Amino acid sequence: MSPREGILFVLSGPSGAGKGTVCKALTQRMPELCLSVSVTTRSPRPGEQEGVHYFFRSHQEFEGMIQRGELLEWARVFNNYYGTPRRFVEEKLQAGYDVLLEIDIQGAMQVKQRFPEGVFIFLIPPSATELQARILGRGTETDESFRQRFNAARTELQMMREYDYVVVNDVVEAACDRIQAIVTAEHCSVQRNLQLLSDW
Ligand code: ADP
Ligand code: 5GP
Protein backbone atom coordinates (compact mmCIF):
# COMPACT_ATOMS: atom_id res chain seq x y z
CA MET A 1 0.00 0.00 0.00
CA SER A 2 1.32 3.50 -0.76
CA PRO A 3 2.19 5.72 2.21
CA ARG A 4 -0.49 8.26 2.93
CA GLU A 5 -0.67 11.59 4.70
CA GLY A 6 -1.68 11.85 8.35
CA ILE A 7 -4.98 13.38 9.42
CA LEU A 8 -5.21 16.87 10.92
CA PHE A 9 -7.40 16.99 14.06
CA VAL A 10 -8.41 20.33 15.53
CA LEU A 11 -9.75 20.62 19.08
CA SER A 12 -11.43 23.83 20.25
CA GLY A 13 -13.85 24.85 22.95
CA PRO A 14 -14.42 27.50 25.61
CA SER A 15 -11.54 28.39 27.94
CA GLY A 16 -11.77 26.09 30.97
CA ALA A 17 -13.55 23.27 29.08
CA GLY A 18 -10.47 21.13 29.72
CA LYS A 19 -8.73 21.21 26.32
CA GLY A 20 -5.22 21.28 27.76
CA THR A 21 -6.02 18.53 30.27
CA VAL A 22 -7.65 16.28 27.67
CA CYS A 23 -4.88 16.83 25.10
CA LYS A 24 -2.25 15.88 27.66
CA ALA A 25 -4.09 12.68 28.64
CA LEU A 26 -4.78 11.86 25.00
CA THR A 27 -1.17 12.19 23.85
CA GLN A 28 -0.06 10.01 26.77
CA ARG A 29 -2.26 7.18 25.59
CA MET A 30 -1.69 7.89 21.86
CA PRO A 31 2.00 8.82 21.59
CA GLU A 32 1.78 8.54 17.79
CA LEU A 33 -0.53 11.60 17.75
CA CYS A 34 1.66 14.69 17.29
CA LEU A 35 0.51 17.63 19.40
CA SER A 36 1.45 20.96 17.86
CA VAL A 37 3.02 23.47 20.28
CA SER A 38 1.67 26.97 19.66
CA VAL A 39 3.44 30.31 19.84
CA THR A 40 1.97 32.93 22.17
CA THR A 41 2.68 36.44 23.42
CA ARG A 42 1.06 35.73 26.81
CA SER A 43 3.24 35.22 29.89
CA PRO A 44 3.87 31.68 31.11
CA ARG A 45 1.63 30.43 33.94
CA PRO A 46 3.41 28.83 36.90
CA GLY A 47 4.74 25.44 35.76
CA GLU A 48 4.46 26.15 32.03
CA GLN A 49 7.63 25.36 30.09
CA GLU A 50 9.02 26.91 26.92
CA GLY A 51 8.58 24.54 23.98
CA VAL A 52 6.36 22.16 25.97
CA HIS A 53 3.19 24.16 26.66
CA TYR A 54 3.94 27.07 24.31
CA PHE A 55 6.76 28.91 22.62
CA PHE A 56 6.63 32.23 24.52
CA ARG A 57 7.52 35.17 22.27
CA SER A 58 7.35 39.00 22.34
CA HIS A 59 4.79 40.86 20.21
CA GLN A 60 7.60 41.93 17.88
CA GLU A 61 8.87 38.38 17.42
CA PHE A 62 5.31 37.14 16.81
CA GLU A 63 4.71 39.79 14.15
CA GLY A 64 7.97 38.76 12.47
CA MET A 65 6.68 35.18 12.29
CA ILE A 66 3.44 36.38 10.67
CA GLN A 67 5.35 38.42 8.10
CA ARG A 68 7.66 35.53 7.21
CA GLY A 69 4.63 33.25 6.69
CA GLU A 70 5.76 30.90 9.47
CA LEU A 71 2.28 30.50 10.97
CA LEU A 72 -0.44 28.24 9.61
CA GLU A 73 -3.04 30.33 11.42
CA TRP A 74 -3.00 32.95 14.12
CA ALA A 75 -5.52 34.90 16.20
CA ARG A 76 -5.77 37.47 18.92
CA VAL A 77 -7.38 35.79 21.92
CA PHE A 78 -8.01 37.58 25.23
CA ASN A 79 -5.56 40.41 24.34
CA ASN A 80 -2.70 38.15 23.30
CA TYR A 81 -1.59 36.57 20.05
CA TYR A 82 -1.59 32.82 19.53
CA GLY A 83 -0.46 30.94 16.43
CA THR A 84 0.42 27.52 15.02
CA PRO A 85 3.92 27.02 13.58
CA ARG A 86 3.39 25.87 10.00
CA ARG A 87 6.45 23.72 9.39
CA PHE A 88 5.87 21.18 12.20
CA VAL A 89 2.30 20.50 11.04
CA GLU A 90 3.17 20.16 7.34
CA GLU A 91 6.18 17.93 7.94
CA LYS A 92 4.36 15.55 10.32
CA LEU A 93 1.32 15.22 8.05
CA GLN A 94 3.53 14.53 5.03
CA ALA A 95 5.41 11.88 7.00
CA GLY A 96 2.08 10.13 7.68
CA TYR A 97 1.54 11.17 11.30
CA ASP A 98 -1.74 12.49 12.65
CA VAL A 99 -1.46 16.00 14.10
CA LEU A 100 -3.57 17.54 16.85
CA LEU A 101 -4.04 21.31 17.14
CA GLU A 102 -5.53 22.76 20.33
CA ILE A 103 -6.55 26.20 19.14
CA ASP A 104 -9.33 28.76 19.50
CA ILE A 105 -12.37 28.97 17.24
CA GLN A 106 -11.09 31.83 15.05
CA GLY A 107 -7.92 29.84 14.36
CA ALA A 108 -9.91 26.65 13.72
CA MET A 109 -12.00 28.44 11.08
CA GLN A 110 -8.80 29.58 9.31
CA VAL A 111 -7.50 26.01 9.34
CA LYS A 112 -10.83 24.79 7.94
CA GLN A 113 -10.34 27.04 4.90
CA ARG A 114 -6.91 25.56 4.19
CA PHE A 115 -7.57 21.99 5.30
CA PRO A 116 -11.25 21.26 4.60
CA GLU A 117 -10.40 17.55 4.99
CA GLY A 118 -9.33 18.17 8.61
CA VAL A 119 -11.44 16.87 11.49
CA PHE A 120 -12.90 19.52 13.77
CA ILE A 121 -13.80 18.55 17.33
CA PHE A 122 -15.55 20.83 19.82
CA LEU A 123 -14.95 20.13 23.52
CA ILE A 124 -17.56 21.40 25.98
CA PRO A 125 -17.90 21.22 29.75
CA PRO A 126 -20.98 19.39 31.13
CA SER A 127 -22.61 22.68 32.30
CA ALA A 128 -22.07 26.42 32.77
CA THR A 129 -21.72 25.90 36.53
CA GLU A 130 -18.99 23.32 35.97
CA LEU A 131 -17.22 25.65 33.52
CA GLN A 132 -17.22 28.41 36.13
CA ALA A 133 -15.85 26.00 38.75
CA ARG A 134 -13.09 24.81 36.40
CA ILE A 135 -11.88 28.27 35.40
CA LEU A 136 -11.89 29.40 39.04
CA GLY A 137 -10.44 26.07 40.23
CA ARG A 138 -7.47 26.44 37.87
CA GLY A 139 -6.58 29.55 39.87
CA THR A 140 -4.78 31.21 36.97
CA GLU A 141 -7.10 34.11 36.07
CA THR A 142 -7.69 37.58 37.50
CA ASP A 143 -11.33 38.60 38.16
CA GLU A 144 -11.35 40.47 34.86
CA SER A 145 -9.92 37.63 32.77
CA PHE A 146 -12.28 35.16 34.48
CA ARG A 147 -15.27 37.34 33.46
CA GLN A 148 -13.91 37.68 29.90
CA ARG A 149 -13.50 33.91 29.53
CA PHE A 150 -16.79 32.98 31.15
CA ASN A 151 -18.82 35.54 29.15
CA ALA A 152 -17.14 34.53 25.89
CA ALA A 153 -18.21 30.89 26.43
CA ARG A 154 -21.89 31.51 25.64
CA THR A 155 -21.11 33.03 22.22
CA GLU A 156 -18.42 30.44 21.53
CA LEU A 157 -20.85 27.56 22.14
CA GLN A 158 -22.88 28.71 19.15
CA MET A 159 -19.86 27.96 16.95
CA MET A 160 -20.26 24.27 17.72
CA ARG A 161 -22.32 24.03 14.53
CA GLU A 162 -19.17 24.60 12.43
CA TYR A 163 -17.49 21.48 13.85
CA ASP A 164 -17.72 17.81 12.87
CA TYR A 165 -17.93 16.34 16.38
CA VAL A 166 -18.82 17.47 19.89
CA VAL A 167 -17.32 15.85 22.97
CA VAL A 168 -18.58 16.56 26.49
CA ASN A 169 -15.67 16.61 28.91
CA ASP A 170 -17.39 15.15 31.95
CA VAL A 171 -14.61 12.77 32.99
CA VAL A 172 -11.20 13.22 31.35
CA GLU A 173 -10.65 9.54 30.50
CA ALA A 174 -14.18 9.24 29.06
CA ALA A 175 -13.61 12.32 26.88
CA CYS A 176 -10.33 10.76 25.69
CA ASP A 177 -12.16 7.50 24.85
CA ARG A 178 -14.57 9.46 22.64
CA ILE A 179 -11.79 11.36 20.86
CA GLN A 180 -9.84 8.15 20.33
CA ALA A 181 -13.01 6.62 18.79
CA ILE A 182 -13.27 9.63 16.44
CA VAL A 183 -9.64 9.16 15.36
CA THR A 184 -10.30 5.47 14.64
CA ALA A 185 -13.52 6.22 12.75
CA GLU A 186 -11.82 8.87 10.59
CA HIS A 187 -9.08 6.39 9.67
CA CYS A 188 -11.82 4.01 8.48
CA SER A 189 -13.74 6.57 6.42
CA VAL A 190 -14.31 5.51 2.82
CA GLN A 191 -13.17 8.87 1.45
CA ARG A 192 -9.80 8.48 3.15
CA ASN A 193 -9.38 4.90 1.91
CA LEU A 194 -10.14 5.08 -1.80
CA GLN A 195 -6.51 4.12 -2.40
CA LEU A 196 -7.48 0.61 -1.26
CA LEU A 197 -9.47 0.16 -4.48
CA SER A 198 -6.52 0.85 -6.75
CA ASP A 199 -4.18 -1.18 -4.52
CA TRP A 200 -6.49 -4.15 -5.08
P1 ADP B 1 -8.67 24.74 28.83
O1 ADP B 1 -7.35 24.26 28.28
O2 ADP B 1 -9.84 24.32 28.00
O3 ADP B 1 -8.71 26.22 29.15
P2 ADP B 1 -7.83 23.26 31.24
O4 ADP B 1 -7.34 21.98 30.66
O5 ADP B 1 -6.81 24.27 31.72
O6 ADP B 1 -8.89 23.98 30.24
O7 ADP B 1 -8.84 22.86 32.43
C1 ADP B 1 -9.42 23.85 33.27
C2 ADP B 1 -9.49 23.30 34.71
O8 ADP B 1 -10.47 22.25 34.75
C3 ADP B 1 -8.17 22.69 35.19
O9 ADP B 1 -8.00 23.02 36.55
C4 ADP B 1 -8.37 21.18 35.00
O10 ADP B 1 -7.63 20.44 35.94
C5 ADP B 1 -9.87 21.03 35.23
N1 ADP B 1 -10.49 19.93 34.45
C6 ADP B 1 -10.30 19.64 33.14
N2 ADP B 1 -11.05 18.58 32.76
C7 ADP B 1 -11.76 18.20 33.85
C8 ADP B 1 -12.74 17.16 34.12
N3 ADP B 1 -13.15 16.32 33.18
N4 ADP B 1 -13.25 17.09 35.37
C9 ADP B 1 -12.85 17.95 36.35
N5 ADP B 1 -11.94 18.94 36.17
C10 ADP B 1 -11.40 19.08 34.94
P1 5GP C 1 -4.68 29.82 27.20
O1 5GP C 1 -4.15 31.21 27.38
O2 5GP C 1 -5.78 29.50 28.20
O3 5GP C 1 -3.57 28.78 27.16
O4 5GP C 1 -5.37 29.75 25.77
C1 5GP C 1 -6.34 30.68 25.42
C2 5GP C 1 -6.98 30.28 24.12
O5 5GP C 1 -6.03 30.31 23.05
C3 5GP C 1 -7.54 28.85 24.13
O6 5GP C 1 -8.85 28.90 23.55
C4 5GP C 1 -6.59 28.09 23.24
O7 5GP C 1 -7.23 27.01 22.55
C5 5GP C 1 -6.19 29.17 22.25
N1 5GP C 1 -4.96 28.85 21.54
C6 5GP C 1 -3.86 28.20 21.99
N2 5GP C 1 -2.96 28.07 21.02
C7 5GP C 1 -3.49 28.63 19.91
C8 5GP C 1 -3.04 28.79 18.56
O8 5GP C 1 -1.96 28.38 18.16
N3 5GP C 1 -3.88 29.43 17.70
C9 5GP C 1 -5.09 29.90 18.09
N4 5GP C 1 -5.84 30.49 17.15
N5 5GP C 1 -5.55 29.76 19.34
C10 5GP C 1 -4.76 29.13 20.24
Side-chain angles (χ1 to χ4, degrees):
M1 207 191 307
S2 4
R4 58 176 195 184
E5 280 208 350
I7 303 177
L8 182 61
F9 293 90
V10 177
L11 185 77
S12 314
S15 177
K19 301 180 296 294
T21 308
V22 167
C23 282
K24 190 173 169 210
L26 196 64
T27 49
Q28 274 167 2
R29 66 157 90 168
M30 299 178 73
E32 69 283 7
L33 186 61
C34 302
L35 181 64
S36 159
V37 178
S38 297
V39 186
T40 184
T41 59
R42 87 151 159 71
S43 314
R45 292 178 183 142
E48 281 185 337
Q49 290 166 275
E50 164 73 16
V52 177
H53 298 90
Y54 282 105
F55 296 107
F56 297 97
R57 295 290 179 268
S58 67
H59 274 84
Q60 202 179 2
E61 287 168 325
F62 194 96
E63 277 157 15
M65 294 182 82
I66 298 174
Q67 275 153 21
R68 291 190 299 274
E70 291 172 13
L71 299 177
L72 188 65
E73 61 73 36
W74 62 273
R76 195 180 162 95
V77 189
F78 305 126
N79 300 325
N80 277 297
Y81 289 107
Y82 294 80
T84 303
R86 174 194 299 281
R87 193 193 289 178
F88 175 86
V89 175
E90 291 179 348
E91 286 181 355
K92 290 292 179 191
L93 289 175
Q94 271 161 26
Y97 293 101
D98 292 344
V99 176
L100 177 62
L101 307 184
E102 190 250 276
I103 61 176
D104 93 311
I105 298 163
Q106 307 167 70
M109 294 304 108
Q110 293 173 46
V111 175
K112 203 173 168 183
Q113 298 283 325
R114 292 193 195 175
F115 292 85
E117 72 285 9
V119 180
F120 295 81
I121 306 172
F122 203 69
L123 190 77
I124 59 170
S127 66
T129 316
E130 178 63 20
L131 179 64
Q132 182 171 8
R134 285 187 192 172
I135 308 176
L136 291 175
R138 191 168 62 191
T140 50
E141 309 308 322
T142 59
D143 284 357
E144 174 56 22
S145 78
F146 162 74
R147 262 193 300 277
Q148 255 186 347
R149 282 159 200 261
F150 190 66
N151 291 337
R154 195 177 296 274
T155 324
E156 287 170 349
L157 274 178
Q158 295 299 321
M159 291 300 288
M160 187 179 104
R161 296 170 201 281
E162 304 295 324
Y163 286 72
D164 301 308
Y165 296 95
V166 60
V167 170
V168 178
N169 176 23
D170 40 13
V171 174
V172 174
E173 290 304 320
C176 289
D177 288 345
R178 294 172 195 129
I179 297 174
Q180 202 166 4
I182 294 168
V183 173
T184 305
E186 287 294 332
H187 274 279
C188 297
S189 92
V190 168
Q191 281 308 313
R192 294 187 198 279
N193 286 283
L194 292 173
Q195 182 71 35
L196 286 175
L197 292 176
S198 42
D199 291 344
W200 269 81

